[in-house]
């Protein structure tokens, strides 16, 4: 994949290509800590210690999946960094649509969902102090051409190929994600707001109008979700119609991933 990727990306990013790594996010952190430039992208064929959100592991089989991490050094206040996760989620969804011709949904804040199954996860990490961001690492793991999944995730995970029947060119998919991200990142950074991207994000949001279960520590609460706002918060309402913003946390969508 390397030569094709170099050709497709031209000089749009600084590409670090690896056959194998523990985790592209960890490698990106090591590179960032030693001064790697803004828009460095680490792509690996396989990870032997891939990380998911909330301390979970992430399986990314060689040849069939994408694992990539982007190093950014944005001029942003620390509180705004999490919005970048939504920018990449939208960009990756647009890339999936470009490659498959099918609508790709987003489960807030950052899972990509095709035919009600998860095809992509995003892990954003950051090094910052109170005043400024040193760097942000955005890791994208996408199931591309897998046809079988481990038993424990088989009912909720899928790949682009398992859902569409099409074998997808991984280098072209990575290039497409980065191209869409370049465009959306620029739009976002102009006003440090998701406002201009809201329509594109919300129209793909699988949570819209559906019941969601908010998991806040030990508590679980049922709400109806209405979409995100310009800060990337999920707007939800309770049975009395009172609305609130959910800024972070785990959200299950009724009818998705076994939540019935
Ligand atoms: C999730 O739990 O949904 C997030 C999964 C993120 C996986 C990607 S694969 C590339 C990057 N490197 C990692 O170790 N994790 C992220």
């Amino acid at each position: 994949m390397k030569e094709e990727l170099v050709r497709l990306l031209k000089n749009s990013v600084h590409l670090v290509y690896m056959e194998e790594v523990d985790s592209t996010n960890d490698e990106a952190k090591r590179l960032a800590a030693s001064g790697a430039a803004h828009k460095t992208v680490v792509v690996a064929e396989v990870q032997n210690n891939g990380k998911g959100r909330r301390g979970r592991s992430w399986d990314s089989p060689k040849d069939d999946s994408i694992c990539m991490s982007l190093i950014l050094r944005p001029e942003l206040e620390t509180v705004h960094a999490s919005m970048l996760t939504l920018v990449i989620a939208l960009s990756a969804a647009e890339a999936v649509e470009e490659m498959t011709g099918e609508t790709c949904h987003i489960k807030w804040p950052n899972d990509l969902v095709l035919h009600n199954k998860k095809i992509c996860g995003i892990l954003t990490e950051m090094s910052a102090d109170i005043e400024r961001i040193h760097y942000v690492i955005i890791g994208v793991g996408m199931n591309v051409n897998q046809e079988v999944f481990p038993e424990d995730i088989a009912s909720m995970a899928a790949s682009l190929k398992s859902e569409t029947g099409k074998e997808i060119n991984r280098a072209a998919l990575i290039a497409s994600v980065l191209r869409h991200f370049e465009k959306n990142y620029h739009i976002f950074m102009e006003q440090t707001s998701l406002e201009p991207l809201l329509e594109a994000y919300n129209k793909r949001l699988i949570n819209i109008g559906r019941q969601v279960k908010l998991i806040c520590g030990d508590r679980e609460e049922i709400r109806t979700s209405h979409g995100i706002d310009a800060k990337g918060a999920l707007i939800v309402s309770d049975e009395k119609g009172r609305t609130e913003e959910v800024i972070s946390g785990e959200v299950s969508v009724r009818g998705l991933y076994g939540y019935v």
Side-chain angles (χ1 to χ4, degrees), residues 122-138:
I122 296 168
L123 177 65
T124 302
E125 301 181 89
M126 171 171 69
S127 163
D129 56 37
I130 282 176
E131 277 159 27
R132 68 178 190 97
I133 293 173
H134 305 143
Y135 57 81
V136 177
I137 309 292
I138 309 181

Side-chain angles (χ1 to χ4, degrees), residues 5-250:
L5 205 47
V6 169
R7 184 174 56 75
L8 288 172
L9 295 178
K10 303 198 178 79
N11 291 320
S12 59
V13 293
H14 309 278
L15 175 67
V16 176
Y17 173 87
M18 306 176 84
E19 284 296 336
E20 182 168 351
V21 70
D22 49 357
S23 145
T24 54
N25 265 35
D26 287 347
E27 180 64 18
K29 269 190 259 175
R30 292 187 286 266
L31 291 170
S34 53
H38 175 66
K39 285 206 263 171
T40 297
V41 180
V42 182
V43 175
E45 287 291 350
V46 67
Q47 301 182 121
N48 54 45
N49 193 21
K51 302 184 306 175
R53 295 175 75 211
R54 301 180 183 275
R56 298 176 192 127
S57 62
W58 181 263
D59 191 32
S60 39
K62 190 168 163 51
D63 297 331
D64 283 337
S65 62
I66 283 178
C67 19
M68 60 190 276
S69 298
L70 193 53
I71 301 172
L72 299 174
R73 297 185 182 278
E75 296 281 328
L76 272 184
E77 284 178 39
T78 310
V79 290
H80 293 137
S82 61
M83 293 193 226
L84 290 169
T85 304
L86 281 72
V87 177
I88 194 94
L90 171 61
S91 310
E94 289 173 337
V96 167
E97 291 177 1
E98 185 178 296
M99 300 296 293
T100 66
E102 300 216 19
T103 300
C104 179
H105 288 109
I106 303 170
K107 174 182 168 286
W108 182 86
N110 52 9
D111 279 359
L112 296 194
V113 172
L114 203 56
H115 304 168
N116 278 342
K117 291 190 164 183
K118 176 165 172 171
I119 49 142
C120 172
I122 296 168
L123 177 65
T124 302
E125 301 181 89
M126 171 171 69
S127 163
D129 56 37
I130 282 176
E131 277 159 27
R132 68 178 190 97
I133 293 173
H134 305 143
Y135 57 81
V136 177
I137 309 292
I138 309 181
V140 179
M142 198 173 319
N143 301 329
V144 185
N145 291 320
Q146 292 100 308
E147 292 185 274
V148 271
F149 292 87
E151 206 177 316
D152 54 328
I153 57 166
S155 63
M156 45 189 174
S159 71
L160 303 191
K161 185 173 181 190
S162 72
E163 292 310 298
T164 65
K166 294 178 193 151
E167 180 94 16
I168 302 291
N169 179 310
R170 290 178 307 137
L173 179 58
I174 293 171
S176 177
V177 172
L178 293 172
R179 198 168 53 247
H180 284 284
F181 182 72
E182 176 71 38
K183 168 198 71 178
N184 291 329
Y185 179 75
H186 182 73
I187 293 172
F188 166 69
M189 289 299 285
E190 256 180 354
Q191 304 171 23
T192 320
S193 168
L194 292 167
E195 183 70 47
L197 300 173
L198 272 188
E199 194 188 332
Y201 187 97
N202 278 333
K203 83 172 184 200
R204 294 176 173 87
L205 190 64
I206 202 153
N207 312 55
I208 284 234
R210 289 170 77 164
Q211 271 199 354
V212 293
K213 183 162 64 183
L214 308 180
I215 301 154
C216 336
D218 291 345
R219 271 184 314 130
E220 290 186 356
E221 285 166 3
I222 306 296
R223 299 281 186 272
T224 303
S225 76
H226 303 284
I228 63 155
D229 65 14
K231 291 179 288 182
L234 186 68
I235 308 300
V236 298
S237 61
D238 64 13
E239 67 290 349
K240 295 196 172 122
R242 292 175 298 211
T243 59
E244 62 182 299
E245 286 181 349
V246 183
I247 293 159
S248 67
E250 192 89 334

